Each structure stands twice: as structure tokens, then as C-alpha cells.
């Protein structure tokens, strides 16, 4: 029987190790079939099924919603609101109809993308207002003062315009932001008359940099400028409204708190204490402010999720401890929910006190969702909580998506939630007799958690810090580990106790203790900022690497299976992509007065219109984007630049001269010798050099140029065809604004062929 079975098995080709006779190769040996791919494919299918399981859809909805908002801001011109709304409603209805089908998750994601696009379009239409296109001089304004900022050198306020008169121009603006001499800003709620010089909102200082005009547009501000002469306070022709009275009350409360802090603290300690409690952080001196950001503690100065968490946490545990003193309450009532309600009220007050900026609103929504989860007996720190908070923020303020504070805050929060959900249970899931448990008795667990939280949050925010601020913080974990326990346990609690005690007149000791903690924080920041290599400078790179890094962080945070490591691969690829980003050869400011040229030494050198007229902010941004450690006052910035009263000339790294012509007399010589001319004058038609003139700068703003085979490749802050409400198109660019700036083709000049009379006589 055995032989018969074996014989039949061999004939069928599957008994023993003998292959089918027809499949045997000539040599008699059949190579074994690779067993690598089928198990891998099966594992990928299993992981994908696990990721698409029940309860895994909600965290991806805000990702899709934010993608729709990103598409909106990437549009060349303003979308049609009615079309965007109809498409969003239709796709939402389709998703509802497919709720029992296997394509439901895909339908929900597509509907969320359309909804984000429509919400962003609606928000822009709702806040639409006039935006100043050209500077206006000696404009007469009357209006109500809505906000006021006290800064180190000058003060600033926002004026809600009632009347606006100018000899030139008929532009009507709703709000303007004006700078005044320190100490002369009028109080919030007052009605004033003044004369001012108005400027268009600040456009990007280079292509790809942050667009401040977009922020001002969504804040309802159509121009900035400064006051000329005295400010006259008069009686308003009509009441300012309830909102203005509320703003005046809150501003008065902030001023009172600042005045009380000033009785005990001075200088940077007072400025930081005021920033932590009221959100006014402009009075901090530049050295301390720079040290805070270099050390990685700059997030402390901006009221964010950390501050909200500390305020809510202190109130929650204080109220709960107080109620626990009464046994009748602990037995018969849910004091935990009462404490959460009290913490929610405290967080809401902190939101209003700090000015309710978009970043603070985002932090409040996140904290509120957590506290509400406690009140309804749900888990507080989950991906669902983060998803709900992100959706609320993006629906209320879709413009927050492109703001660095939103990106950094939610990236850090996503990392921390993932750490709590996945990392902490595995890290501390040990028996009580282990070394880990014994170390925890001495605070080892808390130190480990703080170290991991700082490391995860720092790594998650690194791509955004590199993209927006062109620097990373190598010692951020060290600074946070040394300073944040003091801030959490001393600075913020003492500040809250000071606020509570202030109406009773016993707040002075709390301000003093708060100052002790701030002294320690300043000492840590200055020590860390002075360490070798503390400033990690990163050259500017495009939006592509940032998008790839963001997707990688999302995959690392949201996925639960080994598929999450695809996110790490994306982050690594984004880092390599960013490192290979080419740097420009020439930078030109939007007003044409500053030109940066990369010299033979590989560094930028500056040509500017007049001595002593350097734009420090612009140069600081240019140098930071070039990963250059020099300051705007460095003498080496002008080395190699030849200047006179007519213009400046400098050889570029790629060969050829770059000229900046101040006067028409310089154009004749520059057109013959230079490869590129930047001028605010009209170049002659016979000029053979490539020319960037005032009209092109007015249409396209700041520019960067890279030398190519056919000339200079131009990248503009506002490329041809872009027309958005915060950056309206000036005029039709036509062919003059091509992306490649080639030398002009100039026909040869006609030469007079008439011989001289003396030559003719000689021939005779």
C-alpha cells in the first residue's frame, strides 16, 4: 500500500520531495519558490484590516478636513462659495447613503475634504474687507480703539475706522493697525482723531516665507502704519457697541494685573509674568526672548495647550482636594465632575483674559473636550479627544491650519497622545518589585515621563520649527527638563494664586515667588543658549518636504500596527529632501531697495539703496533662511560690493555682474556690463541686461533668482496668476513676468556709413 501510494503520489507530482517530471529542469534540480513575498503581502493585508477596524475612522476625519483647507489656500484665485458649498453638501449626502457599504470610509474622507474646502471659502467670504494696495500719506482717520499692545520700544493699537479722508485714493478700510511712541497709545474703547501714514500689509519677505498679510486679512485689518502728530480723543458720534465695551473691560483688567505685578517685579521678570497671565509678550527684551527660543523654551511665552492644562489642572486638583475635606460630599456626590466643571470655568476665564487669540482658542477647545469627557465619564486623553478638538478649531478658524502655532501644537499633542496610548503602558507595565517600580518611589517614573514627553514633543515640532523659523533646538530636551518642573510647580500656580488674592490685597508674596521661578527659567535659557551648537540653523526649503514630514508624523501617531513605521520612512525622506533644497543666488526685496547676492564665498552680500536704511527685519529673515549666523549689522555683508551715488555692482558666484541702479545715469553703463539690473527706474529698450524694475516688483513682490542655462530662474512671492483677497493681483502680468529671465535680444544699432569729408578729399 505504501509503495502504491508513493507511486501514485509521485505521478501526481506532490509526494515526498520529488517535483513533477514535466517541471524538472535540465539539471534535475528545481530552485525553491521564494517564500518572502506571500507572507509579507498577507501581513500587510492583516495590518490594513486592523487599521480600518471599528473606531479607527474618526481620528482621520480632521486630517481629511484639514487637507480640504490646505487645498483652498493653495488655489490660484478665490473659489466660488456656492459651488464649493453645493459640492460639500452633495458629497456629505453620498457618504450618508453609503453608511452601510464598504466604501463608507472612503466616502467620509472625500466628504470631509470637500467640507474643509467649503468652510475655508465661507470664512474668507464672511471676513472679506478692503485691503490697501499702495501707501497713503497723511490720511485723516477717526474711529474706536479696539486693542492695544505695549511693546519694548513702541506701542501699537488697532483702530476700527469710522471715517477716512485722504487727498489721494478712495480706499475705504474697516480696521488699521498703527504704531505710536511708547506710552502714547490711547485706551481701548476711546474714540480718537489722528493723521497717519498707511502702508499695505506686509507681504512675504522672500518667496515661500510666512505671509503676514494673510494673518492681517483674517484679523480684519486692511493696512498698517504709524501715527503722524498728536492723537485727539473726542466724543464718539455713536456708541461703540457691546463688543467694544467688553474689550475695554478686559484691557482694563489686563492693565490692572500688569500694574500689580509691576509693584513686585521689574524688567524681564515682570514682562514674562504678564505674558504668562495676560498673553502680552511684546515687552520682553530681545536677548531674553532670543535665548528662550534658542533653548527651546519659547513655547512658554505663547499661551498654548500647556498653559491651559496647568490652569485647568491646578484648579481641578485644588477644588477636588477642598471638596474631599467634607466626607458627606465625597460619599454622596460626584466631586470629580464638580472639579472638572470648575476647571472648565477657570480655563474659559483664562481664555478671555489672555485675549482669545486663535492659538489660545485652540488650546481652550482641547482642554474643554478633555474636561467634558471627565464630566461624562469618558476617557480624557484619546485620539478621539484630539480629533474633536482639531475639528472644532478648524471649523471656527480654518486659517489656523497654515499658522505655525497650530501645526506645532497639534503635532506635539499628537505625539504625546500616542505616547500615552502606546508608549506609557508598555514602559510601566511591570510588577511592583521591579527596579522600575523602586525607582518610581524616588521620582524616577515622573522624570522619565517628563524626559520622554519633552523628547517626543520636540521631535514632533522639529519640521515646523525648521520650516518657519529655520532653526532647531538641539538642547530643547535639556532646557525643558530643567525649567518646566519649576514652571509647572511654582511659576504658574503662584500666578494663579496671585490672581485669586489680588482683589483682597494679599497678592504681593505670590508675585515674589513667581519671580523666583522666572529667575530660574531665565537662568536655564541663558545657560542652554550659550552652550556650543545651541543654535541649530537650517536653510530654507520648500513646502514639499514639510507636507511629507507632516504625513509621516500623522502616520506615526495614528497607526497602531507596524505600518506606522512607514511614517518614519516618510519623515526621513522629507529630511533628505529638505537638505537637498537649492539656495537662491540673488534675493530682491519687494520694494527693490535691498538686493542680496551670493558671492564667491557662498554667502550673501548686500546691496541697498542708501546707507543707514537697512531693513533689519528683512535682513534677519534673509540670513536666517540662509542658515547664516551673521547679524544685520555685520560689516561683512557689504564686502565685495562696489557702490557710489549712482548705484552698486557686485560679481555673483555664478559669474557675471549684478547691478543696482539708483539713478538713470547709471543705467547706460550697467546695461553694457551687468548680467542683471535691479532698478526702480525705467530701463532703456536697448538695454541688453536682464532687468527687474519697479512695475514687476509691484506686481510680484519679493523675488529669488537662481542661475539656469537660459538665464535666471525667477521665483516670486506672488507668482503670475495669483489673486487672493489678502494679496490681490495688481495688473495682468503678461509675458513680462515670465519665470525665466533671459538676456534681452537687442537689435544691432545702425551705424552711420557717411565717410568723413577729409577722407573723401584724400582719396581724390
Amino acid at each position: 500500500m505504501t509503495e502504491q501510494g508513493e507511486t501514485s503520489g509521485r505521478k501526481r507530482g506532490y509526494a515526498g520531495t520529488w517535483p513533477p517530471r514535466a517541471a524538472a529542469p535540465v539539471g534535475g534540480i528545481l530552485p525553491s519558490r521564494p517564500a518572502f513575498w506571500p507572507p509579507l503581502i498577507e501581513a500587510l493585508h492583516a495590518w490594513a484590516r486592523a487599521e480600518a477596524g471599528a473606531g479607527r475612522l474618526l481620528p482621520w476625519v480632521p486630517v481629511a478636513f484639514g487637507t480640504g483647507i490646505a487645498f483652498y489656500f493653495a488655489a490660484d484665485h478665490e473659489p466660488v462659495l456656492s459651488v464649493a458649498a453645493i459640492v460639500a453638501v452633495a458629497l456629505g449626502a453620498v457618504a450618508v447613503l453609503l453608511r452601510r457599504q464598504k466604501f463608507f470610509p472612503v466616502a467620509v474622507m472625500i466628504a470631509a475634504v470637500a467640507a474643509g474646502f467649503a468652510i475655508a471659502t465661507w470664512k474668507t467670504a464672511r471676513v472679506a474687507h478692503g485691503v490697501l494696495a499702495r501707501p497713503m500719506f497723511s490720511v485723516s482717520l477717526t474711529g474706536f480703539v479696539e486693542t492695544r499692545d505695549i511693546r519694548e520700544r513702541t506701542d501699537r493699537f488697532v483702530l476700527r475706522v469710522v471715517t477716512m479722508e485722504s487727498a489721494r485714493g478712495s480706499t475705504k478700510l474697516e480696521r488699521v493697525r498703527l504704531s505710536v511712541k511708547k506710552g502714547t497709545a490711547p485706551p481701548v474703547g476711546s474714540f480718537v482723531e489722528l493723521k497717519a501714514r498707511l502702508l499695505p500689509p506686509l507681504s512675504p519677505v522672500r518667496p515661500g516665507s510666512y505671509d503676514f498679510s494673510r494673518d492681517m486679512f483674517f484679523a480684519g485689518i486692511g493696512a498698517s502704519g504709524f501715527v503722524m502728530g498728536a492723537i485727539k480723543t473726542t466724543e464718539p458720534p455713536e456708541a461703540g457697541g457691546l463688543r467694544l465695551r467688553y474689550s475695554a473691560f478686559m484691557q482694563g483688567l489686563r492693565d490692572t494685573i500688569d500694574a500689580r505685578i509691576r509693584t513686585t517685579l521689574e524688567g524681564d521678570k515682570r514682562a514674562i509674568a504678564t505674558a504668562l497671565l495676560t498673553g502680552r509678550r511684546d515687552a520682553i527684551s530681545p536677548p531674553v526672548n532670543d535665548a528662550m527660543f534658542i533653548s527651546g523654551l519659547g513655547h512658554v511665552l505663547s499661551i498654548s495647550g500647556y498653559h491651559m492644562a496647568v490652569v485647568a489642572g491646578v484648579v481641578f486638583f485644588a477644588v477636588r482636594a477642598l471638596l474631599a475635606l467634607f466626607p458627606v460630599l465625597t460619599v454622596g456626590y460626584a466631586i470629580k465632575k464638580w472639579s472638572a466643571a470648575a476647571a472648565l470655568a477657570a480655563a474659559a476665564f483664562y481664555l478671555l483674559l489672555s485675549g482669545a487669540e486663535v492659538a489660545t482658542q485652540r488650546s481652550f477647545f482641547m482642554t474643554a473636550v478633555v474636561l467634558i469627557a471627565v464630566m461624562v465619564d469618558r476617557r480624557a486623553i484619546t485620539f478621539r479627544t484630539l480629533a474633536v478638538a482639531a475639528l472644532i478649531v478648524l471649523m471656527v478658524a480654518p486659517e489656523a491650519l497654515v499658522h505655525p502655532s497650530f501645526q506645532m501644537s497639534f503635532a506635539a499633542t499628537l505625539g504625546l497622545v500616542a505616547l500615552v496610548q502606546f508608549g506609557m503602558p508598555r514602559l510601566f507595565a511591570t510588577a511592583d518589585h521591579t527596579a522600575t517600580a523602586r525607582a518610581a518611589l524616588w521620582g524616577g517614573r515622573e522624570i522619565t515621563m517628563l524626559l520622554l514627553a519633552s523628547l517626543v514633543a520636540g521631535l514632533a515640532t522639529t519640521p515646523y520649527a525648521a520650516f518657519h523659523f529655520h532653526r532647531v533646538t538641539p538642547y530643547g530636551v535639556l532646557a525643558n527638563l530643567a525649567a518646566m518642573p519649576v514652571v509647572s510647580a511654582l511659576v504658574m500656580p503662584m500666578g494663579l494664586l496671585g490672581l485669586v488674592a489680588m482683589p483682597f490685597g494679599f497678592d504681593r508674596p505670590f508675585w515674589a515667588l513667581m519671580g523666583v521661578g522666572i529667575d530660574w527659567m531665565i537662568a536655564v535659557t541663558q545657560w542652554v543658549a550659550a552652550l556650543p551648537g545651541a543654535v541649530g540653523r537650517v536653510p530654507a526649503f520648500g513646502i514639499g518636504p514639510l507636507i511629507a514630514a507632516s504625513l509621516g508624523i500623522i502616520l506615526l501617531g495614528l497607526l497602531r500596527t507596524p505600518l506606522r513605521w512607514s511614517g518614519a520612512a516618510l519623515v526621513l525622506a522629507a529630511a533628505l529632501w529638505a537638505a537637498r533644497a537649492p539656495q537662491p543666488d540673488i534675493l530682491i526685496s519687494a520694494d527693490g531697495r535691498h538686493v542680496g547676492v551670493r558671492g564667491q564665498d557662498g554667502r550673501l552680500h548686500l546691496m541697498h539703496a542708501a546707507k543707514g536704511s537697512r531693513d533689519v527685519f528683512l535682513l534677519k529673515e534673509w540670513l536666517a533662511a540662509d542658515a547664516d549666523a551673521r547679524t544685520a549689522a555685520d560689516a561683512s555683508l557689504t564686502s565685495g560690493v562696489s557702490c557710489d551715488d549712482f548705484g552698486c555692482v557686485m560679481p555673483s558666484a555664478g559669474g557675471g555682474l549684478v547691478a543696482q541702479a539708483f539713478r538713470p545715469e547709471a543705467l547706460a553703463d550697467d546695461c553694457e556690463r551687468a548680467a542683471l539690473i535691479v532698478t526702480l527706474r525705467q530701463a532703456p529698450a536697448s538695454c541688453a541686461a536682464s532687468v527687474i524694475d519697479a512695475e514687476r516688483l509691484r506686481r510680484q513682490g519679493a523675488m529669488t533668482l537662481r542661475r539656469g542655462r537660459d538665464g535666471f530662474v525667477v521665483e516670486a512671492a506672488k507668482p503670475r496668476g495669483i489673486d487672493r483677497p489678502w494679496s490681490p493681483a495688481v495688473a495682468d502680468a503678461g509675458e513680462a513676468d515670465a519665470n525665466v529671465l533671459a538676456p534681452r535680444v537687442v537689435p544691432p544699432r545702425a551705424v552711420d556709413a557717411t565717410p568723413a569729408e577729409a577722407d573723401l578729399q584724400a582719396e581724390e
Side-chain angles (χ1 to χ4, degrees):
M1 293 293 292
T2 304
E3 293 179 358
Q4 183 179 359
E6 290 179 357
T7 302
S8 62
R10 288 171 184 165
K11 289 181 179 179
R12 291 194 299 269
Y14 56 80
T17 60
W18 288 45
R21 188 178 299 275
V26 176
I29 300 176
L30 182 69
S32 61
R33 197 174 183 183
F36 176 74
W37 292 110
L40 176 61
I41 294 174
E42 181 60 32
L44 291 175
H45 286 168
W47 294 339
R49 286 192 297 268
E51 295 294 351
R56 300 295 300 139
L57 180 62
L58 180 59
W60 290 97
V61 172
V63 176
F65 192 85
T67 302
I69 297 175
F71 283 149
Y72 165 79
F73 283 106
D76 290 341
H77 59 84
E78 196 61 20
V80 180
L81 176 58
S82 58
V83 175
I86 291 172
V87 170
V89 172
L91 290 176
V94 170
V96 172
L97 294 176
L98 295 177
R99 63 186 180 277
R100 300 186 184 278
Q101 305 297 323
K102 62 180 180 179
F103 299 108
F104 174 66
V106 177
V108 169
M109 295 298 104
I110 296 175
V113 171
F117 189 90
I119 286 292
T121 307
W122 171 79
K123 178 64 180 291
T124 301
R126 187 173 67 85
V127 302
H129 58 85
V131 176
L132 189 66
R134 290 176 176 267
M136 298 180 68
F137 303 89
S138 188
V139 182
S140 298
L141 298 171
T142 66
F144 294 95
V145 179
E146 288 192 335
T147 64
R148 184 184 64 182
D149 295 328
I150 307 299
R151 304 192 296 172
E152 185 187 13
R153 295 184 179 180
T154 60
D155 294 342
R156 192 170 62 186
F157 65 93
V158 173
L159 184 73
R160 190 176 75 196
V161 178
V162 175
T163 63
M164 177 177 175
E165 298 178 359
S166 174
R168 297 181 179 179
S170 58
T171 303
K172 298 300 180 184
L173 304 175
E174 295 182 10
R175 288 178 179 83
V176 296
R177 188 173 65 189
L178 301 172
S179 296
V180 295
K181 184 189 300 183
K182 188 170 180 61
T184 61
V188 174
S190 58
F191 186 83
V192 297
E193 297 178 358
L194 53 88
K195 286 186 177 294
R197 178 180 178 182
L198 299 181
L199 303 172
L202 181 63
S203 59
V205 297
R206 59 172 184 80
S209 67
Y210 193 73
D211 193 349
F212 298 94
S213 63
R214 183 178 55 213
D215 276 0
M216 293 182 65
F217 174 82
F218 283 100
I221 300 173
S224 61
F226 57 88
V227 173
M228 302 171 61
I231 300 175
K232 182 180 179 181
T233 303
T234 62
E235 289 294 325
E238 58 184 12
L242 181 61
R243 182 175 180 179
L244 188 65
R245 290 197 294 270
Y246 159 77
S247 299
F249 171 77
M250 295 306 300
Q251 186 65 47
L253 184 58
R254 297 185 196 104
D255 292 341
T256 301
I257 293 172
D258 182 65
R260 290 298 306 164
I261 294 175
R262 193 187 296 270
T263 60
T264 307
L265 305 177
E266 288 294 337
D268 287 315
K269 289 194 294 183
R270 190 268 305 175
I272 292 175
T274 300
L276 293 176
L277 296 178
T278 67
R280 298 192 332 197
R281 55 185 182 274
D282 293 323
I284 303 172
S285 64
V288 172
N289 189 68
D290 292 341
M292 293 286 288
F293 283 95
I294 291 172
S295 64
L297 289 174
H299 64 91
V300 177
L301 301 179
S302 177
I303 294 179
S304 59
Y306 164 76
H307 302 77
M308 281 289 176
V310 171
V311 170
V314 169
V315 173
F316 177 84
F317 289 110
V319 172
R320 192 174 184 183
L322 182 63
L323 294 177
L325 297 176
F326 304 94
V328 65
L329 296 178
T330 58
V331 174
Y333 300 94
I335 62 173
K336 181 179 179 180
K337 298 182 180 181
W338 291 5
S339 302
L344 181 60
F349 174 75
Y350 190 39
L351 169 71
L352 300 178
L353 179 64
S354 60
E357 297 180 352
V358 172
T360 314
Q361 292 178 26
R362 180 199 64 247
S363 306
F364 170 75
F365 291 141
M366 182 68 188
T367 305
V369 170
V370 170
L371 294 173
I372 292 173
V374 172
M375 286 188 281
V376 297
D377 295 321
R378 299 290 184 184
R379 291 183 62 187
I381 304 177
T382 64
F383 290 113
R384 289 175 175 267
T385 303
L386 179 62
V388 172
L391 278 175
I392 294 174
V393 172
L394 292 177
M395 285 190 289
V396 173
E399 69 275 11
L401 180 77
V402 294
H403 199 279
S405 66
F406 175 90
Q407 298 167 3
M408 298 178 72
S409 177
F410 269 96
T413 306
L414 176 61
L416 294 175
V417 172
L419 180 65
V420 171
Q421 293 285 304
F422 305 140
M424 294 300 184
R426 297 180 181 180
L427 181 64
F428 299 122
T430 56
D432 291 339
H433 62 274
T434 61
T436 303
R438 290 196 299 271
L441 297 176
W442 300 94
R445 177 175 297 187
E446 286 73 17
I447 294 175
T448 303
M449 291 177 63
L450 180 61
L451 179 63
L452 286 175
S454 299
L455 181 62
V456 169
L459 291 176
T461 57
T462 293
Y464 308 100
F467 179 80
H468 292 288
F469 309 116
H470 316 297
R471 60 188 175 193
V472 294
T473 55
Y475 304 120
V477 174
L478 177 62
N480 280 273
L481 192 62
M484 294 313 294
V486 175
V487 176
S488 302
L490 181 63
V491 175
M492 290 299 295
M494 291 303 103
L496 294 177
L497 290 174
L499 291 178
V500 173
M502 192 171 68
F504 306 99
F506 296 102
D507 53 323
R508 188 181 182 89
F510 300 110
W511 304 137
L513 291 173
M514 189 179 186
V516 172
I518 293 175
D519 275 334
W520 171 257
M521 183 175 65
I522 293 176
V524 169
T525 60
Q526 293 176 337
W527 170 64
V528 172
L531 292 175
V535 183
R537 295 182 174 86
V538 180
F541 53 88
I543 192 67
L546 184 68
I547 294 174
S550 300
L551 181 58
I553 291 172
I554 292 171
L555 293 176
L556 276 170
L558 292 184
L559 296 183
R560 298 182 179 181
T561 64
L563 286 175
R564 75 162 66 107
W565 300 114
S566 62
L570 263 178
V571 173
L572 179 60
L576 296 176
W577 187 1
R580 294 177 59 86
Q583 297 304 304
D585 296 316
I586 300 169
L587 293 93
I588 306 173
S589 64
D591 58 5
R593 297 181 178 276
H594 293 77
V595 179
V597 180
R598 194 170 303 281
Q600 299 294 337
D601 58 356
R603 301 196 300 177
L604 289 177
H605 297 264
L606 178 67
M607 299 189 294
H608 57 99
K611 294 182 179 180
S613 64
R614 292 185 179 184
D615 187 333
V616 176
F617 175 75
L618 178 140
L619 295 180
K620 183 179 178 181
E621 291 295 312
W622 279 7
L623 293 172
D626 209 50
D628 196 327
R630 293 177 294 173
T631 64
D634 197 309
S636 65
L637 283 174
T638 56
S639 63
V641 180
S642 300
C643 290
D644 56 23
D645 293 338
F646 297 95
C648 294
V649 177
M650 181 184 172
S652 64
L657 293 176
V658 178
Q660 185 181 20
F662 305 151
R663 298 183 182 180
E665 294 85 348
L667 290 172
D669 191 31
D670 291 341
C671 285
E672 293 182 1
R673 299 175 54 198
L676 175 71
I677 300 175
V678 181
T679 181
L680 300 180
R681 308 293 181 177
Q682 181 66 41
S686 60
C687 186
S690 300
V691 179
I692 299 291
D693 57 14
E695 283 302 312
R696 179 160 186 169
L697 290 170
R698 187 170 66 89
R699 288 192 298 266
Q700 295 197 294
M703 297 181 182
T704 60
L705 285 74
R706 296 183 181 88
R707 186 176 291 276
R709 290 187 303 175
D710 300 327
F712 291 100
V713 179
V714 180
E715 184 179 357
K718 189 168 67 173
R720 182 173 55 180
I722 299 298
D723 185 13
R724 303 308 299 269
W726 52 87
S727 182
V730 175
D732 186 14
E735 294 297 327
D737 293 343
N739 292 332
V740 177
L741 190 64
R744 295 183 178 182
V745 178
V746 181
R749 290 181 296 178
V751 180
D752 188 1
T754 305
E757 184 176 352
D759 294 337
L760 290 175
Q761 292 175 354
E763 290 182 359
E764 293 175 355

